[in-house]
Structures are given as C-alpha cells and as structure tokens.
Amino acid sequence: MTIRIAMWSGPRNISTAMMRSFGARPDCAVSDEPFYGAFLKATGEPHPLAAETIADMDCDWHSVLATQSGPPPGGEPVWYQKHMPHHMVGPVSIADMPDHRHAFLIRAPERVVASYQQKNELRRAELLGFSRLRRYFDYERERKGTVPPVVDSDAILNDPPMMLEKLCAALGIGWDTSMLHWQTGPHPEDGIWGRHWYDKVNASTGFGKPPADLPQLEGAFADVAAECREDYEALLQHAL
C-alpha cells in the first residue's frame, strides 16, 4: 500500500527544502505542486514562467487528481506531494483526497512576505494561502476527529533531526537520517518554474538556520502580513 503524503503550505515556506528532504529518502517519490498549471490556466495570474508552466503541465483538475491518487512514480512505498492550498480554485479540493495523509507547513507571515516580494508582485494576502490553509486544516481535523500534523518552518530549521522525526512519527512513517541532506542543483522532479523560484534551495545541501529576528516590513507589505497573522497563529497553536 502506498502512503501518500499531502503537505500543504503557502509559497516561501521552505516547502521546496521539505520536498528535497523527503526526496532524499530511498523509499520516497515526490511531486512538485501538481495543480500549479491548472491554477495558472484557470486564474490567469501573471506569475513568472506562467505560460511555460501551463504548456509543460497537465492542467485538467480531475486528471491531475487522478494521477496524484494513482500509482506512485517508480512504485515507491511513500509518495510526498507538495501542494499549495491557494492553487485549489477549481472543482477539486482536499475533500477529494481522503486516502492521503495530510500535513500542514506554516511560516511566520512576515518571513513569507519578505521572501515572496523579492520574487513576485504581491497584490493580496490570498496569494499566500494562509486562510485556505487554515480552512483545510479545520476540514481535515473534523473529518478525522484528530489533529493533523502541523510543522512550523522555524522549528524545523532550528532542529531538523528532532522536528523531522516528530513529523515522520505523526505521518506514520519511519524516520530516516537521509532526510537531512540532498544534492545541490535542480532535481528531476522540480517544476519548470524552479529556475525562477529555487535558486537558494538549489545552492543548498541541507537545512539552514533561520534569521534570529522577523523582517521589518512597511506599508502594504506590513498590511498583508498583519492580515495573515490570525490564521498563522491559529495553526501555530497545533504545531508539533
């Protein structure tokens, strides 16, 4: 039986580093934002490399869902799927993945905003996914009757072995120290958009330490972070 892990997070949440970490396991396949092309095609959001991403991906919502619920790449027993809740604007949602093991990756909104605005225009808080992430968490908690795993990015960066071991236990898989290191450069599973977004993770071989202080934001950027903070803090209270 394949263990399908759906890790939900917004952008700039060390989500690609987490994909690298799980991809370093010898028993794990990974998928990089499989609904991204469908999201871009449906919304027309002017993201970097949007046209190339749409042309490169399956953009049919139901087809993507069927693939992510089907046989794993390479027949691996664990399949880690990197998902972003704000991508789910079409006819499918977390409710259509009842056999996945769902987890939630969060990060202080000030860090997310500071990182995102260096890579793309930030026009509204919805593009960071905090509100839908909270709704998905609430849905899964009600569906299962238990609290699904939540991990905070800073906690992982401060102590990767401890936090990854806790996460693996919560997901019902064994902890593997291979998750602490990966090869530099792009990886075959990366989306085509990686050449714009993944420069830092491509230069890395493991998790780095977070900055000691939160970034100081001003104006509209501070307003967006403030708008996201309630949802972040609601999820943070459940973090491992």
Side-chain angles (χ1 to χ4, degrees):
M1 180 189 72
T2 301
I3 297 173
R4 292 177 182 79
I5 298 167
M7 178 62 82
W8 297 93
S9 78
R12 318 311 286 173
N13 274 236
I14 74 163
S15 56
T16 306
M18 289 292 286
M19 182 176 71
R20 291 278 189 273
S21 176
F22 275 83
R25 296 173 61 105
D27 63 349
C28 187
V30 299
S31 292
D32 190 9
E33 301 178 36
F35 290 99
Y36 189 28
F39 162 79
L40 291 172
K41 185 174 181 179
T43 63
E45 282 288 344
H47 282 202
L49 299 173
E52 293 89 340
T53 298
I54 292 169
D56 188 63
M57 297 187 76
D58 180 356
C59 296
D60 179 84
W61 295 96
H62 293 290
S63 176
V64 176
L65 175 66
T67 297
Q68 299 307 118
S69 303
E76 299 292 358
V78 180
W79 187 359
Y80 182 91
Q81 301 175 8
K82 173 188 168 192
H83 291 297
M84 301 220 163
H86 61 287
H87 289 172
M88 309 303 286
V89 298
V92 300
S93 73
I94 190 174
D96 297 294
M97 304 180 191
D99 297 325
H100 286 63
R101 299 183 186 183
H102 297 278
F104 300 85
L105 175 65
I106 60 174
R107 193 182 194 191
E110 294 80 5
R111 296 202 195 283
V112 174
V113 169
S115 179
Y116 189 94
Q117 58 90 18
Q118 295 178 22
K119 289 289 187 180
N120 195 26
E121 180 185 5
L122 181 55
R123 298 184 306 284
R124 59 187 188 277
E126 288 85 355
L127 295 174
L128 302 181
F130 281 92
S131 60
R132 193 182 295 260
L133 191 70
R134 183 179 177 183
R135 293 200 301 273
Y136 275 17
F137 169 84
D138 289 341
Y139 170 85
E140 185 65 7
R141 179 173 58 172
E142 183 175 350
R143 183 181 78 90
K144 298 284 288 186
T146 58
V147 177
V150 178
V151 283
D152 184 76
S153 296
D154 276 9
I156 293 172
L157 295 177
N158 278 314
D159 195 339
M162 181 183 74
M163 293 309 302
L164 290 172
E165 185 172 6
K166 284 185 176 182
L167 176 59
C168 287
L171 291 169
I173 62 174
W175 155 240
D176 193 320
T177 57
S178 64
M179 297 175 70
L180 297 173
H181 303 286
W182 52 81
Q183 296 293 317
T184 58
H187 286 213
E189 302 86 3
D190 293 353
I192 196 171
W193 56 90
R195 66 177 185 258
H196 175 81
W197 295 92
Y198 294 174
D199 52 333
K200 288 186 178 179
V201 76
N202 284 346
S204 71
T205 59
F207 295 100
K209 287 290 184 181
D213 300 317
L214 291 179
Q216 296 300 308
L217 303 173
E218 297 180 355
F221 294 133
D223 293 341
V224 168
E227 187 176 344
C228 297
R229 179 147 280 279
E230 181 181 346
D231 291 323
Y232 168 72
E233 290 181 352
L235 292 165
L236 183 63
Q237 67 179 319
H238 301 289
L240 298 175

